[in-house]
C-alpha cells in the first residue's frame, strides 16, 4: 500500500474535552482512514501508484478527470497535517520564531487569532482554514472541500478542519466555539515552529 494512515501523535482521549475520543474515533478512524483506502484503490495500477502523496496532489490538482484522486489524496494530506497541528495542552499565544513572525505580519497574536477564527467561521460549507507562508509572508487562507495550499504552491504552517464531521459531535452547529477551543487549547506551536 503506497499511501498509509499516519500514527496519531497522541492518544485518542487526550484532546478531550475540546475534541472528544468519539470524534477522533470517527474522524481519524473512519473519515481519514477512508480517504487513505480510496486513494490507494484509485491509484492502483496507474503511474501515480509509485508517487508520494505531495506529487499525487500536484499532478491531479488541475485535471478535472482526476478530481476523485485529488479529493481523496488531498484529504489524506490535509488530515495528517491537521492532527500534527494539535497537542494536548496546546493553544494560546506562541513562543519562538512563529511568535515574532505573527507579531510582524499581523500586528499581534490577537489580530492573527481573530483573522484565523474568522476564516474558519466564514468558510461556507466544508473546508479548511490555514496559516500559510506566501512570498516569505504569513497569510490566512481558507479552502473549500479537499482543496489545499499545496496545490497552489503555498507552504502550509497550520490548519483547522471546518468540515462538520470535525466538530458536530462535540459542538453541534457551534463552529465558532470549536474554533475558539482550537486556538485556546489545541494548537501545537512547536510543530508550527518546526516548519519555518
Ligand atoms: Mn475532516
Amino acid at each position: 500500500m503506497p499511501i498509509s494512515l499516519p500514527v496519531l501523535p497522541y492518544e485518542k482521549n487526550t484532546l478531550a474535552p475540546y475534541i472528544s475520543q468519539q470524534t477522533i474515533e470517527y474522524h481519524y478512524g473512519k473519515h481519514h482512514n477512508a480517504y487513505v483506502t480510496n486513494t490507494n484503490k484509485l491509484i492502483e495500477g496507474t503511474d501515480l501508484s509509485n508517487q508520494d502523496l505531495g506529487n499525487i496532489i500536484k499532478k491531479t490538482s488541475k485535471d478535472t478527470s482526476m478530481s476523485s484522486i485529488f479529493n481523496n489524496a488531498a484529504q489524506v494530506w490535509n488530515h495528517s497535517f491537521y492532527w500534527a497541528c494539535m497537542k494536548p495542552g496546546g493553544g494560546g499565544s506562541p513562543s519562538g520564531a512563529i511568535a515574532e513572525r505573527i507579531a510582524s505580519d499581523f500586528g499581534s497574536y490577537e489580530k492573527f487569532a481573530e483573522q484565523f477564527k474568522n476564516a474558519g467561521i466564514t468558510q461556507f460549507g466544508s473546508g479548511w482554514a490555514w496559516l500559510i507562508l506566501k512570498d516569505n509572508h504569513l497569510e490566512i487562507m481558507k479552502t473549500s472541500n479537499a482543496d489545499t495550499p499545496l496545490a497552489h504552491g503555498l507552504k502550509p504552517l497550520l490548519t483547522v478542519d471546518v468540515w462538520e464531521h470535525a466538530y458536530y459531535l462535540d459542538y453541534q452547529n457551534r463552529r465558532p466555539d470549536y474554533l475558539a477551543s482550537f486556538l485556546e487549547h489545541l494548537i501545537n506551536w512547536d510543530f508550527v515552529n518546526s516548519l519555518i
Side-chain angles (χ1 to χ4, degrees):
M1 289 300 228
I3 306 300
S4 57
L5 185 69
V7 176
L8 267 190
Y10 32 76
E11 297 299 318
K12 290 176 183 169
N13 61 352
T14 53
L15 300 184
Y18 309 109
I19 294 179
S20 65
Q21 180 170 346
Q22 189 185 24
T23 289
I24 303 264
E25 282 171 354
Y26 278 92
H27 197 182
Y28 170 76
K30 306 286 186 189
H31 290 273
H32 192 181
N33 193 45
Y35 295 128
V36 172
T37 304
N38 291 340
T39 301
N40 282 320
K41 276 186 195 156
L42 289 163
I43 65 175
E44 191 178 358
T46 76
D47 58 6
L48 293 171
S49 63
N50 61 351
Q51 300 284 315
D52 69 27
L53 196 54
N55 279 331
I56 293 170
I57 290 167
K58 283 166 193 159
K59 288 184 173 187
T60 58
S61 67
K62 292 177 179 63
D63 184 344
T64 52
S65 74
M66 299 274 200
S67 62
S68 290
I69 299 177
F70 174 77
N71 285 336
N72 281 283
Q75 284 292 77
V76 172
W77 194 92
N78 290 346
H79 282 88
S80 299
F81 192 74
Y82 168 66
W83 304 125
C85 285
M86 298 186 285
K87 68 172 186 180
S93 58
S95 57
I98 192 65
E100 294 167 24
R101 298 295 298 257
I102 284 174
S104 62
D105 290 350
F106 293 97
S108 67
Y109 166 75
E110 288 71 23
K111 286 180 182 165
F112 152 77
E114 184 186 341
Q115 288 183 41
F116 186 83
K117 186 177 176 185
N118 195 47
I121 291 170
T122 59
Q123 169 53 38
F124 186 77
S126 296
W128 302 80
W130 303 85
L131 175 67
I132 60 155
L133 202 54
K134 181 183 182 184
D135 301 328
N136 206 30
H137 194 270
L138 297 181
E139 288 187 17
I140 304 291
M141 178 180 188
K142 52 188 176 181
T143 60
S144 292
N145 298 318
D147 196 15
T148 179
L150 278 193
H152 305 277
L154 301 166
K155 184 177 172 62
L157 298 177
L158 176 70
T159 195
V160 63
D161 186 343
V162 295
W163 286 56
E164 284 186 346
H165 66 221
Y167 60 88
Y168 222 82
L169 289 173
D170 299 323
Y171 298 87
Q172 294 78 50
N173 62 325
R174 302 188 310 277
R175 190 191 286 187
D177 291 354
Y178 159 67
L179 289 162
S181 289
F182 181 84
L183 282 157
E184 291 163 24
H185 302 289
L186 295 173
I187 294 174
N188 183 348
W189 288 115
D190 297 332
F191 174 68
V192 179
N193 267 317
S194 77
L195 300 174
I196 60 171

